[in-house]
Each structure stands twice: as structure tokens, then as C-alpha cells.
């Protein structure tokens, strides 16, 4: 995200958090108070977008797009867990061969 997009996003979140209607003028005022220089069309774009969308829905559905990828990764992890368990058994057998009854620091 670019600096103007982030500035407008944070301004919209501030307005939403305070329960204030999100308008282009209010976004521009907050961005200007923050000292961020943006093109004059950014606040209007964000205001138009957010008058059609519910910010609560946008906030709560942030990670919704990654669910299928996570499910696929979970399936791969289950297959990998069996292989890791097998390697762990092999390592424990090797470690038992190395135990000769004394340690390096005795």
C-alpha cells in the first residue's frame, strides 16, 4: 500500500472508531492534521467506497482469503507429521547407540 492509501485507511478507521460519519472532508482533515501530503482525489475515493461497505465487515473479514490455502497447508502438514515422526524414531535409536555411560564433563 502506498502512503496516501495508508493515510486514508487510518483516517477512516479513526473516524469509524469514534463513531463519526466517514466523509471525504473528514478524511482530508485528519490526513492534513497528520502532516501527510496526498492527492485531493484520495479522500473522495475512500469516502465513496466506505459509504457502500460496512467497515465492521471489512475489519472482521481481513484474513478470509487465506482459509483455503491454510486448509491445503494443514493437509500437507498432516502428511509431513508422519514423516517427521519416523525421523524422530530414527534419531532416538541413534542417540541410544551414542550413550556409553559417561559424559564429556565427568
Amino acid at each position: 500500500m502506498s502512503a496516501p492509501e495508508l493515510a486514508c485507511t487510518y483516517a477512516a478507521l479513526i473516524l469509524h472508531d469514534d463513531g463519526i460519519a466517514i466523509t471525504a472532508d473528514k478524511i482530508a482533515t485528519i490526513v492534513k492534521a497528520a502532516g501527510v501530503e496526498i492527492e485531493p482525489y484520495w479522500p473522495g475515493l475512500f469516502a465513496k467506497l466506505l459509504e457502500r461497505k460496512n467497515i465492521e465487515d471489512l475489519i472482521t473479514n481481513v484474513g478470509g482469503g487465506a482459509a483455503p490455502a491454510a486448509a491445503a497447508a494443514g493437509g500437507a502438514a498432516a502428511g509431513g507429521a508422519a514423516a517427521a515422526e519416523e525421523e524422530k524414531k530414527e534419531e532416538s535409536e541413534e542417540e541410544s547407540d551414542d550413550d556409553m555411560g559417561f559424559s564429556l564433563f565427568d
Side-chain angles (χ1 to χ4, degrees), residues 78-93:
E85 185 177 319
E86 184 178 315
E87 288 179 21
K88 188 174 181 180
K89 286 180 184 179
E90 290 176 13
E91 288 177 13
S92 63
E93 290 174 10

Side-chain angles (χ1 to χ4, degrees), residues 1-85:
M1 242 184 201
S2 67
E5 289 174 291
L6 283 174
C8 290
T9 300
Y10 290 141
L13 288 172
I14 289 168
L15 291 169
H16 173 73
D17 191 47
D18 288 342
I20 300 171
I22 300 170
T23 64
D25 292 335
K26 291 177 184 173
I27 291 173
T29 301
I30 291 175
V31 169
K32 184 178 180 181
V36 179
E37 293 183 23
I38 62 171
E39 297 293 327
Y41 61 85
W42 282 108
L45 287 175
F46 273 80
K48 282 186 179 185
L49 168 76
L50 295 173
E51 73 184 20
R52 296 182 186 145
K53 298 284 184 178
N54 184 356
I55 290 185
E56 288 293 324
D57 292 340
L58 293 173
I59 293 171
T60 56
N61 294 328
V62 169
E85 185 177 319

